[in-house]
Amino acid sequence: MYSALRSVQLAARRTASMSMSMSTGAKSLTIGLIPADGIGREVIPAARQVLEALPSDIMPARLNFVDLDAGFEYFQKHGVALPEQTLAALKGDCDGALFGA
């Protein structure tokens, strides 16, 4: 959990100046959430709660979250474990990601 928090903090510091909201000047980061299968379904929502509860002196950026699909259950339904839509969202819309396996 600490390493995930540290990764988000570092991403916030690196990209905060690039992600300025035009109307309020508030900094924001978009984090892709991929619970996948198994323990990830419990860990990723818990990690999100922790990140949302961080005070602004620890996490100066506002965090936005995007729920994304991947994993074996997705593979069983669609024939691919990591869909192109998830990759496109990660590449184009997200500043970072949390992946539970």
Side-chain angles (χ1 to χ4, degrees), residues 13-50:
R13 290 187 181 127
R14 280 194 305 264
T15 62
S17 63
M18 298 176 0
S19 301
M20 299 297 282
S21 168
M22 297 302 275
S23 61
T24 64
K27 301 168 190 166
S28 67
L29 289 172
T30 300
I31 307 298
L33 302 176
I34 308 171
D37 306 302
I39 195 75
R41 293 182 182 176
E42 295 175 27
V43 173
I44 296 300
R48 178 180 180 163
Q49 288 179 334
V50 169

Side-chain angles (χ1 to χ4, degrees), residues 34 67-70 74 81-91 94:
I34 308 171
D67 294 314
L68 301 170
D69 291 317
Y74 189 89
L82 185 59
E84 286 297 321
Q85 302 93 306
T86 295
L87 291 172
L90 289 170
K91 290 177 184 177
C94 298

